[in-house]
Amino acid sequence: MMRFFVKNIILLLFALFVLPVVNHAQSQYPVNPNKKLLLELVNDARSKGCRCGNTYHPPVPPVKWNEKLEKAAQNHSNNMYSKSFFSHTGKDGSNVSTRLTAVKYDWAMCAENIGMRYKTERAVIQGWLSSPAHCEHIMNELYKDVGIAIKGSYWTMVLAMPK
């Protein structure tokens, strides 16, 4: 009887103290990021021009939101989250081009930015703009479409030029 009582007390304490911390940790990241804000932030940087490391990029035309790119980004964020890894290469060997082909986006060029532990849309875009390689992708005038997604703390941005 005593064992049963102790086990129930431990389960109760776990439910009261540990689960709220886990749920809080997961809830600090957006579940449904603001697509309009993400697109505005990307296009604001593109419209003003910016410095990516030591290279200045003049203003370039805006990109438009693309649902297929968003789906490819979501698939990769979901995969990183569920399998606990952080890489441009999926656990299945996939890369941005294979992920775009899988969602039936007919692409001529593509790039991917990934980020982790950014708590807001502004923070992740600023993080990418502060990284020369990620910034170069955002400022590439050849890219016409963008899609961004998050799962847990894993962000993925896909930029592409259609064929």
Side-chain angles (χ1 to χ4, degrees):
M1 181 72 171
M2 186 63 153
R3 264 191 197 161
F4 178 77
F5 179 73
V6 170
K7 283 182 183 177
N8 283 338
I9 293 294
I10 290 171
L11 287 173
L12 179 63
L13 290 173
F14 181 80
L16 289 173
F17 296 104
V18 176
L19 288 179
V21 171
V22 171
N23 290 337
H24 174 71
Q26 291 173 349
S27 69
Q28 63 186 324
Y29 302 102
V31 175
N32 296 308
N34 185 331
K35 296 177 199 180
K36 183 179 182 222
L37 177 59
L38 287 164
L39 186 61
E40 285 174 7
L41 294 168
V42 168
N43 283 330
D44 183 59
R46 289 173 66 93
S47 72
K48 292 177 181 172
C50 72
R51 184 166 295 286
C52 300
N54 295 324
T55 305
Y56 175 75
H57 291 268
V60 295
V63 289
K64 65 183 186 332
W65 195 268
N66 183 283
E67 298 294 324
K68 289 181 179 180
L69 271 58
E70 178 188 1
K71 177 70 173 159
Q74 190 67 65
N75 289 345
H76 191 53
S77 288
N78 290 350
N79 192 267
M80 288 189 293
Y81 176 81
S82 66
K83 295 192 172 31
S84 297
F85 74 97
F86 184 70
S87 173
H88 290 285
T89 304
K91 288 287 186 177
D92 59 359
S94 65
N95 59 41
V96 64
S97 61
T98 58
R99 289 188 284 272
L100 282 178
T101 300
V103 297
K104 301 189 182 344
Y105 180 89
D106 197 14
W107 57 274
M109 294 180 55
C110 58
E112 179 180 76
N113 290 340
I114 57 175
M116 191 172 169
R117 296 190 184 105
Y118 292 101
K119 294 180 182 175
T120 68
E121 293 86 349
R122 288 185 193 285
V124 73
I125 298 300
Q126 186 55 52
W128 285 327
L129 289 171
S130 298
S131 163
H134 294 102
C135 180
E136 296 273 344
H137 292 156
I138 292 170
M139 295 305 297
N140 187 324
E141 68 181 321
L142 298 176
Y143 294 130
K144 309 300 180 199
D145 296 329
V146 68
I148 304 170
I150 183 174
K151 176 66 176 183
S153 66
Y154 296 88
W155 291 89
T156 304
M157 167 192 266
V158 179
L159 295 135
M161 177 177 79
K163 278 190 181 176

